[in-house]
Amino acid sequence: MFRREVLTLAALATLSGAAFAQAYPSRPVKLQVPFAPGGTTDIIARVMSEPLGKELGQSVVVENKAGGGGVVGATEFARAAPDGYMLAMATVSTTAANPAINPKISYNPLTDFIAITNIAATPNVIAVHPSFPAKDYKGFVAELKKNPGKYSYASSGTGAIGHLQTELFKSLAGVFMTHIPYRGAGPALNDTVAGQVPIIFDNLPSALPFINTGKLVPIVVAAPQRLSALPNVPTFKDVGLEPVNRMAYYGLLAPKGTPADIVNKVHGAAMKALADPAVRKRIEDTGSLIVANTPAQFTEQIKAELGVYKQVVEKQKLKLD
């Protein structure tokens, strides 16, 4: 008798969970961006929000929660209710670079989040203000070596991918620049374009409009091969620094404990949204590459990237400022 009651309760729980997932979403869904508006994470999120909401049948509202190179937002998201009504953008900064360098982070990117899909991968670029004395890679490095400590660089935050990649570049190239962290790529770009900081290491989608209008000068890119948008700009592999040649990713996360049916529903909606040629074009026009992988594949990608940056931090003896 007891066994029959247990089985009945289990069946009811399964049915209620399935019914909940079928009803989801019954109200708007928030999509958290852990950076200020204007950066690549924000751009990709806003491109995806409308088509994702269309496929889910409810509005998807982008919410910016900046600070700590993405840590403030990611920490808050790790405590979100696992009901599918709060999703978040996953970045290398929040799931790999920052956790690798910051021992005080209270979340574990491998256990506190559920990976849904990597939407897109993007190249990164070192760019300078037009007033900088050099306009190409050789001259850039020569200028830094001639004037150690004279120049500073902007990033989207301490522990963010731009910070760790620049520190790795500094170590391998034998140069020195002072790090100026911001609350996101948007503010960092604004100050670099204004000439308040001469150098930035940023994701291509947010930097490219300024490069195209001559407000920033590209020096070197982190990409598998030279980019059609910047055919004359070398990759880090071209200049002999292949370890720095890593791309960023922008994906979707759910809090741990989110029912699998909801995760699958969001994944399916994202795949349909990314199958739309208009949506793909908007993302690809930023210089990004569509990935659209499975939850399992994205989980492995996050795990691998975290391992890489842990090795970088250990090898280069990097610490928070």
Side-chain angles (χ1 to χ4, degrees):
M1 181 70 178
F2 176 74
R3 181 172 179 273
R4 185 183 305 158
E5 290 176 349
V6 170
L7 290 173
T8 301
L9 288 171
L12 287 172
T14 300
L15 287 172
S16 61
F20 179 68
Q22 285 179 349
Y24 168 85
S26 58
R27 64 179 190 272
V29 175
K30 290 183 179 179
L31 176 56
Q32 187 208 73
V33 172
F35 298 100
T40 300
T41 314
D42 186 64
I43 292 170
I44 300 294
R46 292 182 188 279
V47 169
M48 281 293 293
S49 61
E50 184 178 347
L52 183 62
K54 179 181 177 182
E55 296 299 334
L56 287 173
Q58 286 285 345
S59 297
V60 173
V61 182
V62 175
E63 181 178 88
N64 297 86
K65 188 73 175 182
V71 171
V72 172
T75 300
E76 178 183 284
F77 179 68
R79 298 193 292 261
D83 56 10
Y85 288 98
M86 173 68 89
L87 305 174
M89 291 296 293
T91 70
V92 174
S93 295
T94 55
T95 62
N98 248 313
I101 197 175
N102 189 350
K104 295 183 179 180
I105 284 180
S106 61
Y107 65 86
N108 184 323
L110 303 181
T111 58
D112 288 333
F113 307 135
I114 296 175
I116 298 175
T117 187
N118 180 5
I119 296 168
T122 66
N124 299 310
V125 60
I126 288 182
V128 298
H129 187 268
S131 64
F132 192 84
K135 302 296 186 291
D136 59 24
Y137 179 78
K138 185 177 179 179
F140 175 71
V141 172
E143 178 67 19
L144 294 178
K145 288 185 175 181
K146 186 170 67 176
N147 298 286
K150 178 180 179 179
Y151 297 104
S152 57
Y153 75 92
S155 84
S156 59
T158 299
I161 182 175
H163 175 207
L164 261 64
Q165 279 196 306
T166 307
E167 292 301 315
L168 178 57
F169 161 72
K170 284 166 54 178
S171 174
L172 296 176
V175 298
F176 182 80
M177 298 177 280
T178 301
H179 179 219
I180 308 296
Y182 286 81
R183 291 174 62 85
L189 277 163
N190 289 340
D191 272 12
T192 308
V193 169
Q196 296 181 36
V197 184
I199 304 163
I200 189 169
F201 197 144
D202 188 35
N203 308 127
L204 185 65
S206 47
L208 189 60
F210 298 104
I211 291 172
N212 288 339
T213 55
K215 295 178 180 179
L216 289 176
V217 179
I219 298 297
V220 59
V221 296
Q225 59 271 328
R226 292 203 181 199
L227 305 172
S228 59
L230 301 172
N232 298 319
V233 180
T235 70
F236 280 104
K237 183 177 180 180
D238 291 337
V239 300
L241 300 180
E242 190 168 5
V244 194
N245 222 28
R246 308 195 66 80
M247 296 178 72
Y249 54 67
Y250 299 90
L252 289 174
L253 297 176
K256 70 175 180 182
T258 302
D261 287 343
I262 290 180
V263 171
N264 292 336
K265 192 165 188 175
V266 174
H267 180 265
M271 294 304 99
K272 289 180 180 178
L274 290 170
D276 184 336
V279 175
R280 294 179 70 90
K281 185 177 186 304
R282 287 182 66 192
I283 293 175
E284 289 170 346
D285 282 349
T286 69
S288 303
L289 308 174
I290 303 294
V291 179
N293 57 8
T294 67
Q297 289 169 333
F298 192 27
T299 298
E300 286 303 309
Q301 188 175 3
I302 291 172
K303 184 178 179 180
E305 203 71 7
L306 177 61
V308 166
Y309 280 103
K310 281 184 175 179
Q311 290 178 1
V312 169
V313 168
E314 182 178 355
K315 182 177 180 181
Q316 306 303 329
K317 296 181 172 58
L318 299 179
K319 294 182 179 180
L320 293 178
D321 297 334

